[in-house]
Amino acid sequence: MDDSPGNAGDPLTDPGPPDHLLIQTVTGCNGRCRFCPNSKTRRSIPTGRRMAGELFRTVIDQCLELGVRRFSVYLMNEPMLDPELPQRIAYIAARIRKPQYVKVISNGSLLTERMARGLLDSGLDKLKLSVQSLDPHTYREVTGLPLARTLRNIARLMELKAAAGAKRPRLEVAMVDSELARAELPAAHRFWQAQGVRLSVQPMENRAGHAAIRQSATGNLERFTGCRRLSEQLGVLQDGRVVQCCADWEQQGVMGDLTRQRISDVWRAPRYGEFRRRLAAWDVAGMICAGCRIAAAATEHDDPEQQPQPGPLFASPSPAGEETA
């Protein structure tokens, strides 16, 4: 069957090829974010298992053939646990052309000098760093990590990027609109704008109703009925299995295995088609979609007149009570 976009039918139930790939090159995460199921899953998921190089290249090559637009080198993990992350990104970056791009989301705690230099050399287009609070105590309570180390890592990356005159990667900081950090959002916007960095505020979601974060993923959450993930994103785990969704932490909706199947065959298989039709009709009993809730919108607290402008690296006063760890 021809997988070209021109032969696509209904974009929800009969889409063309995937628009974006999420690929897990290593398992696990060193953070313990309150609103994330990492380390809380019923399924045992060991940390540090890396995707074989041959499998990685096979997945990327097939995605290139299909015309995938966005290559996200992360999925339910901390991608910088993979020491080969820059080399993997470079493999993608050398083979894509605009509007295709490659992106990483990380908590930044493992953004060492070596990793930063590797990413600057890799051709990475966008790096989004999760900084859930500028108060060290709140940050540790939310993530289980020390804030000072993350801020130092970001500052050093920005120094190296400026010294090299590099335009990439484009740096963005993300916060989840959580009850713990919501009051900080206006100050966080001002802080990051002073550094010339955009702050993106993400809506809270309950990761398909995962029981382990039920007490943390709170707020005005609604059914995620407009979800397009099944028709747009391809999620590939470290061992080559394809999961239904980036929120499928318990791996309940395994759609195929790329060690034995081609992406086009998995993507067009009857199982995927059935799931898409059921989601479009909201006939989701027994699917992880049934429990999925997301906030209608994040509380941006943004001033449209204020655009991030380059400034002295972290020249703003350090947040009160800054840690030294």
Side-chain angles (χ1 to χ4, degrees):
M1 179 180 291
D2 187 350
D3 281 312
S4 64
N7 284 355
D10 185 320
L12 289 178
T13 61
D14 185 24
D19 178 74
H20 48 277
L21 167 73
L22 295 96
I23 187 165
Q24 182 187 73
T25 69
V26 66
T27 56
C29 179
N30 63 323
R32 296 295 181 266
C33 292
R34 291 166 60 100
F35 44 74
C36 178
N38 173 56
S39 78
K40 309 178 187 79
T41 56
R42 296 184 300 275
R43 174 185 289 271
S44 176
I45 304 176
T47 296
R49 290 186 176 175
R50 290 156 58 188
M51 178 176 280
E54 182 178 356
L55 175 59
F56 176 80
R57 291 186 293 273
T58 296
V59 172
I60 299 304
D61 291 348
Q62 290 184 30
C63 284
L64 291 168
E65 291 174 8
L66 291 171
V68 168
R69 181 181 62 89
R70 188 181 89 191
F71 292 78
S72 300
V73 193
Y74 58 87
L75 175 62
M76 296 183 281
N77 70 338
E78 169 45 57
M80 293 186 193
L81 284 169
D82 182 359
E84 296 181 353
L85 180 65
Q87 290 82 3
R88 297 189 197 259
I89 292 169
Y91 184 86
I92 302 170
R95 291 162 173 79
I96 60 176
R97 298 291 181 270
K98 290 185 179 300
Q100 294 172 306
Y101 69 100
V102 57
K103 170 184 176 182
V104 165
I105 295 180
S106 165
N107 62 40
S109 66
L110 300 178
L111 184 59
T112 61
E113 176 109 359
R114 180 178 180 181
M115 180 62 71
R117 290 182 182 276
L119 293 178
L120 286 171
D121 291 339
S122 70
L124 178 66
D125 291 297
K126 182 175 181 180
L127 176 60
K128 181 180 282 191
L129 296 171
S130 171
V131 183
Q132 295 303 322
S133 174
L134 289 172
D135 178 271
H137 304 292
T138 304
Y139 181 85
R140 188 180 284 276
E141 184 176 356
V142 174
T143 69
L145 298 168
L147 175 64
R149 181 176 65 194
T150 299
L151 292 182
R152 283 197 303 268
N153 291 348
I154 297 172
R156 182 57 178 155
L157 172 69
M158 294 173 69
E159 290 172 356
L160 292 169
K161 183 181 175 185
K167 294 183 178 181
R168 296 183 298 174
R170 180 162 61 88
L171 181 62
E172 186 175 305
V173 165
M175 290 179 69
V176 172
D177 188 12
S178 67
E179 292 183 353
L180 277 173
R182 184 168 298 133
E184 299 179 33
L185 291 177
H189 271 291
R190 292 191 295 271
F191 177 82
W192 291 112
Q193 283 172 342
Q195 319 313 323
V197 177
R198 180 177 181 268
L199 173 64
S200 171
V201 182
Q202 309 294 317
M204 176 67 73
E205 65 172 288
N206 68 356
R207 313 300 174 102
H210 199 284
I213 61 169
R214 197 165 290 156
Q215 301 303 315
S216 302
T218 58
N220 186 25
L221 306 185
E222 302 174 357
R223 291 193 310 182
F224 199 9
T225 54
C227 179
R228 301 180 64 89
R229 291 172 179 171
L230 273 171
S231 58
E232 293 184 351
Q233 73 174 25
L234 177 76
V236 183
L237 297 176
Q238 163 269 334
D239 58 5
R241 288 176 299 146
V242 174
V243 286
Q244 170 191 340
C245 175
C246 59
D248 190 3
W249 283 82
E250 297 292 348
Q251 301 170 17
Q252 298 177 67
V254 175
M255 313 304 288
D257 183 347
L258 299 185
T259 64
R260 298 182 291 105
Q261 298 168 278
R262 291 186 58 83
I263 290 173
S264 56
D265 294 333
V266 173
W267 188 250
R268 287 292 191 180
R271 178 173 168 80
Y272 243 132
E274 178 191 0
F275 274 40
R276 292 182 185 117
R277 287 189 293 274
R278 290 180 59 191
L279 178 60
W282 199 246
D283 175 21
V284 293
M287 295 171 60
I288 63 170
C289 311
C292 197
R293 302 289 185 273
I294 190 168
T299 309
E300 281 288 351
H301 292 291
D302 203 1
D303 182 349
E305 299 300 318
Q306 287 186 301
Q307 296 300 323
Q309 300 295 327
L313 296 177
F314 293 84
S316 302
S318 296
E322 182 58 270
E323 300 169 312
T324 58

